[in-house]
Amino acid sequence: MSNKLDPRIKRKNRIRKKLSGTTERPRLTVYKSLKHIYAQVVDDTTGRTLAYASSLSKDLKGKDEGDKKADAKRVGTLIAEKCKAANVEAVVFDRNGFPYHGRIAAVADAAREAGLKF
């Protein structure tokens, strides 16, 4: 039985085989739904989430203008700020099976501009 999530899940698993987050370079993973975008920084050696941001975060409430790409940029900037607060300088980017395009690329570019190293 196949559904429309199967190709993304296959890509996600293929990507995750090759990369993992360490204490020095945790994994920045991005997930997008139809309305919102989520980003978290995970240390895979200990299984802990070091920083988390989403378009639903209290820091971004009320700034929603209906532009999903602008929301993604704000999430990227916020996750970079939270990483710096958690003493994380560099990360490994995990696009979570999504194409590196649009909102996913916007999060990555905004995080880079805010000073996070990929």
Side-chain angles (χ1 to χ4, degrees):
M1 185 163 157
S2 176
N3 63 17
K4 81 184 222 183
L5 289 180
D6 281 347
R8 188 185 73 81
I9 301 299
K10 285 180 184 178
R11 283 191 303 270
K12 175 183 174 177
N13 291 335
R14 187 172 59 233
I15 292 167
R16 281 300 313 267
K17 276 191 244 178
K18 297 174 186 168
L19 62 91
S20 69
T22 62
T23 307
E24 297 83 34
R25 285 177 61 109
R27 177 172 53 96
L28 171 61
T29 182
V30 179
Y31 176 76
K32 68 176 184 172
S33 67
L34 291 177
K35 274 188 158 182
H36 300 289
I37 191 148
Y38 309 85
Q40 67 178 355
V41 178
V42 180
D43 179 4
D44 288 322
T45 56
T46 60
R48 289 186 41 219
T49 299
L50 305 175
Y52 172 80
S54 77
S55 56
L56 294 171
S57 296
K58 290 181 183 177
D59 301 333
L60 300 179
K61 275 291 187 197
K63 295 183 181 179
D64 182 22
E65 302 161 355
D67 184 11
K68 293 188 225 177
K69 203 164 184 180
D71 287 345
K73 288 179 183 178
R74 283 193 285 274
V75 168
T77 305
L78 182 62
I79 195 74
E81 291 170 3
K82 288 187 175 187
C83 283
K84 288 193 177 195
N87 294 325
V88 174
E89 302 283 323
V91 295
V92 177
F93 189 70
D94 178 11
R95 58 189 175 93
N96 212 359
F98 295 106
Y100 187 82
H101 183 354
R103 291 191 285 161
I104 302 294
V107 170
D109 292 341
R112 276 191 200 102
E113 288 172 11
L116 205 56
K117 292 187 175 96
F118 282 53

